[in-house]
Structures are given as C-alpha cells and as structure tokens.
Amino acid sequence: MKLAMNMLALAVAATAHYTFDRLQVNGEVQGDSWQYVREHTRGYMPTKGQQILEDDFRCQPGGASGANTDVYTVKGGDTVKLLGAFGMTSIEHPGPAQVYMSKAPSNEVKSYDGSGDWFKVREAYVYPCASPETIANHFTRYLSTLCTPVAGNDDILTTAWCTWGQDGIEFVVPSRLPDGEYLTRVEHIPLHGAQGSSTGAEYYYSCAQLKIEGNTGKTWLPTRTAKIPGMIQPGDDGVIYNIWDSSITEYPYAPGSKLIVGGTAWGSKDGNSDGIVKSVAKRAARWVGSAAARARELMDS
C-alpha cells in the first residue's frame, strides 16, 4: 500500500507545471497571450516556501508593472477566466483556488504594483461544485458535471477538487464594486507536496488588468481585505495540509482572506451540499444591498 501511494505521489508530481496567460470573458477568448495578463519571468515554475513572503508573490517576478499590458473592460456579472499558458489545457494538481482583486490608485492599473488592499472574490474547493454564480444575486445552486463526488481519500488526491481538469480559473465580476481599474489575481495552491511542511505547497498565479464599467446602484469597496505578501503564511494550516493521510475526506480551510459578500464560491469544504456556498448565500441574502451589509462586512473583516 505504501509503495502504491509513493508511486501515485510521483505520478502527480510529474504532471506539468503551469501558469496563466490569456483572458476569456463570457466564454470568448480575448486577445493574445500576455495581452491583458502581466507577463512574468518565472515561466511555469511554482512559488514555494518563504518566497510567498516576497513582493513578487503579488504578480510574479517581472509582473510588478503593467506598462506593457493592455486593460480589458468588463461589467458586473461577466464571467472571466484566466487560461493556462504554454499549452496547458487541464489543471491536474489537487488543491484550492482563489481569485483576488485590488483597485488601482487613481484608476491607473498599468502603473500599480499591487501594494494596496486585496479582497477575495472567488473560492474553489471540493465537490459538489456549483457553477459560477454571483452570490449577491443568485441563490440557486447548480451542480457541475466536471467533478466527481468525494469517495474516500483517493478522490481528495485528484478529481474531488473543483479545479481538476479545468483549463483555467474563473470568477464572476461582482456587481457591487465601484467602476474603475483593478489588478486581478488568480491563484491555485496544489497540496500534493505539502505533507505538513511549510515548503511543500506550490503556488501558481498570474495578474490580469481589468476595468469595470457600468456597475449601477449602491457600490462600495469591500472591507475584508489583506495585503500581498502577508495574507498567507508558509506555515498556515491550509497550505501544510497533508492530503495523503488516508483518513482525509475534506479540506476545512480557506487560505488567504475571507470571501467578500457578493463573491462566488465553488464547491464546499467537506464535500457535501451544505458547504460554503449555502452559508455565504444565506449571509448575502440577508445583508447585501443595504447599509447593514457594509456594517456587517466591517465587523467580520
């Protein structure tokens, strides 16, 4: 049994590394590689260990400036995906995914280094995987056929994760954000090498430059924010988690900052339908769209 597990570990570790270089909006690819995504110099290699405490953890080495990167205009409710680079068409590492946004000072994202406040607009965990939905506006969950149910430890090593087999990481643009330019960061954290070590988890991420136009009604910047680097520490429980423990059938953590009201959640932490999507939806149904929402968000941040 131990030999079989070691062989599986090697097989998982041997799958291709990746990064993200192209933008897809509402199902249509927009522009070329690195046109709207900041090109970086790390290639497809992961960030690991103490490297996540460096400023390069924002948008990769070489990604501190977006002077040579175009800005794509979106609106609330648009589904945006950052697609895999270097021919990657399928994420095949087990682990959670997040999407963060940070409003550029003076709405000039090309010159923004990402040193301001970041907020989480997307979380992705394990099956059942809800299709992307704006929690602030939609309370019906739809099961995706892209994931298979958790059935013991084997699936938590592979296909239980909602990102497994995907060609990128997607999110829905929140309709409550003020118009302006935003640095947008997608992140996947594979856990196959974690095994309790602060140097084992891998981090794959890229930053796109987006401009939001047309959001109407009451809009505000979220108060549940964090700084990058700093929002994740190398020894956090969620990134040293040992998925090779044969008793593991859930992932009860949420790396980074809290999901904002009006964000989207994909899947649940424990593999059942009463997971994170339902709890966030309930909170949103009660608070979003009112002054109380902002007060509640401030208290929870």
Side-chain angles (χ1 to χ4, degrees):
M1 178 64 179
K2 184 176 181 180
L3 176 61
M5 292 294 285
N6 288 338
M7 290 179 66
L8 179 58
L10 289 174
V12 172
T15 57
H17 293 167
Y18 47 92
T19 189
F20 309 95
D21 70 339
R22 288 168 297 144
L23 198 65
Q24 177 180 293
V25 180
N26 297 327
E28 298 290 333
V29 177
Q30 305 297 329
D32 301 319
S33 293
W34 309 116
Q35 182 172 347
Y36 300 107
V37 179
R38 291 187 177 183
E39 189 169 8
H40 57 81
T41 58
R42 201 186 296 275
Y44 54 75
M45 298 303 292
T47 300
K48 300 185 71 174
Q50 296 297 309
Q51 292 176 326
I52 72 170
L53 301 180
E54 300 171 359
D55 288 349
D56 283 339
F57 191 49
R58 295 168 187 156
C59 294
Q60 298 275 19
S65 170
N68 297 319
T69 307
D70 292 338
V71 182
Y72 191 85
T73 300
V74 296
K75 62 181 183 301
D78 283 347
T79 298
V80 176
K81 178 186 283 189
L82 266 66
L83 297 168
F86 308 122
M88 187 279 281
T89 59
S90 178
I91 293 174
E92 295 185 2
H93 284 320
Q98 292 78 227
V99 179
Y100 292 89
M101 300 183 75
S102 182
K103 196 171 189 299
S106 304
N107 287 321
E108 295 179 357
V109 71
K110 283 176 169 281
S111 60
Y112 179 40
D113 65 358
S115 58
D117 293 328
W118 293 81
F119 50 88
K120 187 190 292 185
V121 300
R122 175 70 150 156
E123 292 178 335
Y125 297 102
V126 295
Y127 183 93
C129 305
S131 61
E133 57 188 54
T134 305
I135 301 300
N137 301 323
H138 304 286
F139 307 110
T140 302
R141 302 181 67 248
Y142 300 93
L143 294 182
S144 169
T145 60
L146 298 175
C147 301
T148 56
V150 173
N153 184 250
D154 288 348
D155 285 341
I156 207 83
L157 298 175
T158 55
T159 56
W161 297 90
C162 293
T163 53
W164 189 273
Q166 298 291 301
D167 59 356
I169 296 176
E170 68 182 7
F171 68 101
V172 175
V173 178
S175 60
R176 297 291 180 177
L177 294 180
D179 286 357
E181 295 189 358
Y182 291 79
L183 198 53
T184 303
R185 179 182 182 275
V186 303
E187 172 188 70
H188 186 229
I189 309 178
L191 299 174
H192 56 277
Q195 302 182 60
S197 169
S198 62
T199 62
E202 299 178 347
Y203 301 81
Y204 298 99
Y205 51 97
S206 291
C207 290
Q209 298 187 157
L210 300 179
K211 180 179 182 180
I212 295 178
E213 281 188 353
N215 278 359
T216 59
K218 294 181 179 179
T219 62
W220 64 88
L221 283 174
T223 58
R224 295 175 175 180
T225 61
K227 298 289 187 180
I228 303 176
M231 67 174 180
I232 296 177
Q233 297 294 316
D236 284 353
D237 289 339
V239 297
I240 65 171
Y241 197 63
N242 185 12
I243 61 174
W244 297 98
D245 182 336
S246 61
S247 66
I248 295 299
T249 58
E250 64 178 20
Y251 178 74
Y253 299 104
S257 62
K258 294 180 180 180
L259 183 68
I260 66 167
V261 172
T264 58
W266 198 12
S268 69
K269 295 181 182 180
D270 58 4
N272 69 59
S273 59
D274 293 328
I276 194 167
V277 173
K278 184 175 181 181
S279 64
V280 175
K282 283 182 176 179
R283 182 179 66 236
R286 187 180 304 116
W287 295 97
V288 166
S290 67
R294 296 187 290 280
R296 173 65 174 266
E297 192 165 74
L298 182 61
M299 288 187 291
D300 287 349
S301 60

